[in-house]
Amino acid sequence: MRRRIGVRAGLSALLALGALTATGSGLASASPAPAEPRAGAPAQELVDAMERDLKLTERQARKRLRQEAAAMEAAPGAERAAGADFAGSWFDARSGGLVVGVTAPGRAAAVRAAGAEARVVEHSAKELDAAKERIDARAERKAAPDAVSGWHVDPRANTVVVDLVKGAERDAAVRDFLADARKAGPVTVRETAGGAPRTLAAGVVGGDPYYTGNARCSIGFSVHGGFVTAGHCGSAGASVRGWDGSQMGTFQGSSFPGNDYAFVRTGHGWWTVPVVLGWGTVPDVLVRGSAEAPVGASVCRSGSTTRWHCGQILAKNETVNYSQGAVHQMTKTSVCAEPGDSGGSFVSGDQAQGVTSGGWGNCSGGGETWFQPVNEILSVYGLTLHTA
């Protein structure tokens, strides 16, 4: 990978410490598998950002990262223990552990034995997912009004949540949409404090990671053969230029709307490393896997406009209603973002989570941002994440 002196100076140290190697441009044939979190001290840059954005002390931030890593490790076994009575899971910051909803009290002991707290609820995950899919189907037949920002299953509330722009419920089209949505199953309506979601590409600004056409976006994660990013940043076949304006690669696959992901195959002297850049603000981060963090866990984002910001995972499998069309299976966070951050990296500890898609608000007044989960992207394109 071509590098600027200064901005990526910390990468040299990471290369020495991690014994990283350059890769070729061919696609790896192996299917991706989420890696287990590795033991060790959390990266200082994550701790610093969590102190700033989550209002934690350094000790609290480090403790929370340890607890979240344990929750990620326990989640698959706890879901298996719940069986057909599984009703979703989430990280509880107050208790510092994973909570699993179950619809049958008899499953609680097995869930606790798997390392999670059990909470008895009314609706199973299968039932709530089916209700959300009925709303998705309705939106496919007739587009949701712009004032409906999205809908998702909330395991903590044990309901499907439909998010509206503040004051939108008075609109006739919104009322019609909500009437249909409530027929799908257990639905709760919430008003957001901000506006409608938008994608976060930007016009060309010199010195940033990559450009396609007249848009600037951010690199997500290195994979063997290139990198993954947001689909709305470029169509298949589009040429990509690096931060220095030189030819970098080509979009090999891209999907938007419906999804928001893409794979760029790199060449022309650019090579991949398992690093999320700090853009000169914080040290760079070594990526060690892609174990999925639960709802409620902390997450941090790196982007070429606003650099490092942290928050929490608010929801998963959300349908986001952009003006260009609905995008499915998104993860919602409380992290802010701005134009140009599209495609950038979301990490939890040293685990890759996803690539930035869009949001509302900004990093001055706050907002919410969605990402496309990275493991889905790896699976779709048959890619292997480049890890340290």
Side-chain angles (χ1 to χ4, degrees):
M1 182 177 65
R2 300 171 187 260
R3 288 175 286 155
R4 284 173 289 183
I5 297 173
V7 171
R8 294 183 174 88
L11 181 56
S12 298
L14 286 174
L15 290 172
L17 290 172
L20 311 181
T21 60
T23 65
S25 61
L27 277 175
S29 60
S31 296
E36 294 296 328
R38 294 188 183 182
Q44 184 61 47
E45 61 276 7
L46 297 180
V47 174
D48 293 342
M50 289 173 69
E51 288 184 64
R52 179 193 66 203
D53 294 336
L54 295 177
K55 312 303 181 188
L56 301 174
T57 65
E58 180 174 356
R59 182 177 180 181
Q60 289 171 332
R62 291 183 180 276
K63 180 179 179 181
R64 178 159 176 167
L65 285 169
R66 291 193 299 271
Q67 291 171 333
E68 290 173 351
M72 280 188 262
E73 189 170 0
E79 181 174 348
R80 288 193 298 269
D85 298 304
F86 178 68
S89 63
W90 62 96
F91 177 78
D92 184 354
R94 288 174 295 182
S95 68
L98 182 73
V99 182
V100 174
V102 293
T103 55
R107 292 283 189 177
V111 168
R112 287 193 292 270
E117 177 187 342
R119 186 169 300 173
V120 180
V121 295
E122 181 179 358
H123 307 289
S124 70
K126 184 177 180 180
E127 180 183 355
L128 294 175
D129 287 343
K132 178 187 173 293
E133 288 169 5
R134 286 190 283 271
I135 300 174
D136 285 342
R138 188 272 185 198
E140 288 294 328
R141 295 191 303 271
K142 182 179 180 181
D146 290 345
V148 178
S149 60
W151 49 95
H152 66 275
V153 172
D154 184 343
R156 289 172 289 194
N158 197 229
T159 187
V160 177
V161 173
V162 177
D163 287 313
L164 304 181
V165 175
K166 191 172 183 179
E169 201 162 358
R170 295 187 295 270
D171 181 82
V174 171
R175 289 200 304 270
D176 289 344
F177 178 86
L178 294 177
D180 287 344
R182 290 186 173 106
K183 296 175 185 175
V187 167
T188 300
V189 177
R190 294 179 186 166
E191 287 189 329
T192 66
R198 68 191 192 284
T199 55
L200 296 169
V204 171
V205 176
D208 281 298
Y210 82 90
Y211 312 97
T212 177
N214 63 348
R216 167 171 60 87
C217 282
S218 300
I219 294 171
F221 296 97
S222 284
V223 296
H224 292 286
F227 64 85
V228 293
T229 187
H232 71 263
C233 290
S235 302
S239 179
V240 172
R241 306 186 308 281
W243 63 265
D244 60 356
S246 68
Q247 183 68 20
M248 187 179 195
T250 304
F251 278 85
Q252 295 298 298
S254 179
S255 179
F256 180 81
N259 306 291
D260 194 5
Y261 50 62
F263 165 53
V264 174
R265 188 193 300 274
T266 56
H268 309 282
W270 294 82
W271 49 282
T272 65
V273 290
V275 170
V276 172
L277 296 173
W279 308 111
T281 300
V282 297
D284 302 326
V285 178
L286 286 173
V287 176
R288 299 191 183 278
S290 57
E292 185 177 340
V295 169
S298 63
V299 68
C300 295
R301 181 191 54 72
S302 176
S304 61
T305 299
T306 58
R307 302 177 180 180
W308 273 99
H309 287 276
C310 294
Q312 298 183 62
I313 294 176
L314 301 178
K316 294 185 178 183
N317 192 23
E318 175 152 6
T319 298
V320 181
N321 189 37
Y322 292 129
S323 61
Q324 300 95 325
V327 177
H328 306 287
Q329 297 177 319
M330 303 284 275
T331 297
K332 179 164 67 175
T333 78
S334 63
V335 186
C336 67
E338 295 181 10
D341 288 327
S342 276
S345 322
F346 269 90
V347 294
S348 187
D350 56 10
Q351 300 294 304
Q353 298 299 310
V355 300
T356 304
S357 173
W360 61 264
N362 54 52
C363 289
S364 298
E368 293 177 340
T369 303
W370 288 267
F371 67 77
Q372 184 89 61
V374 68
N375 286 327
E376 179 185 1
I377 309 172
L378 300 177
S379 178
V380 167
Y381 293 120
L383 302 170
T384 300
L385 187 68
H386 194 166
T387 58

